[in-house]
Amino acid sequence: MASHLRFVGRTVMVQNGNVDAAYGVLNRILAQDGVTEAVRRSRYYEKPWRARRRRAFEACRRVYSAEMARRIAFLARSSRQDPWLGC
């Protein structure tokens, strides 16, 4: 087995001959890494204007997700003062 980190991170061990469960785990790992989307995208030619539009949408989604995660972490922090004291 290769010692390359990316390869080791995508290695799934089959336990008790349960190949279906290992296949599901591998699919989940590849989906989280974005490998399946990249393969699906590269299957057909993507016009340049569609590629630009997709990349812009993905960038907007990353910014939105980061901002929402920051806001949720701000609201969920445990050291926050009670805004309605005495109520």
Side-chain angles (χ1 to χ4, degrees), residues 58-76:
E58 289 171 355
C60 288
R61 186 173 54 193
R62 273 193 305 273
V63 168
Y64 177 79
S65 296
E67 179 65 18
M68 288 306 291
R70 188 184 68 79
R71 288 181 181 194
I72 289 171
F74 177 76
L75 292 175

Side-chain angles (χ1 to χ4, degrees), residues 1-5 7-9 11:
M1 197 179 294
S3 61
H4 194 267
L5 183 62
F7 179 80
V8 171
T11 302

Side-chain angles (χ1 to χ4, degrees), residues 10-81:
R10 293 180 183 153
T11 302
V12 177
M13 304 302 281
V14 177
Q15 296 175 348
N16 300 329
N18 195 354
V19 177
D20 292 332
Y23 184 69
V25 170
L26 181 64
N27 276 340
R28 194 172 328 115
I29 290 170
L30 293 177
Q32 287 175 351
D33 287 347
V35 174
T36 54
E37 277 298 315
V39 169
R40 198 172 294 130
R41 259 197 327 267
S42 66
R43 185 174 290 169
Y44 301 107
Y45 176 74
E46 185 177 22
K47 289 186 174 183
W49 69 272
R50 285 195 187 264
R52 280 193 301 271
R53 202 167 176 192
R54 177 183 50 79
R55 285 194 301 264
F57 174 76
E58 289 171 355
C60 288
R61 186 173 54 193
R62 273 193 305 273
V63 168
Y64 177 79
S65 296
E67 179 65 18
M68 288 306 291
R70 188 184 68 79
R71 288 181 181 194
I72 289 171
F74 177 76
L75 292 175
R77 69 189 192 280
S78 60
S79 63
R80 188 167 68 131
Q81 292 179 355

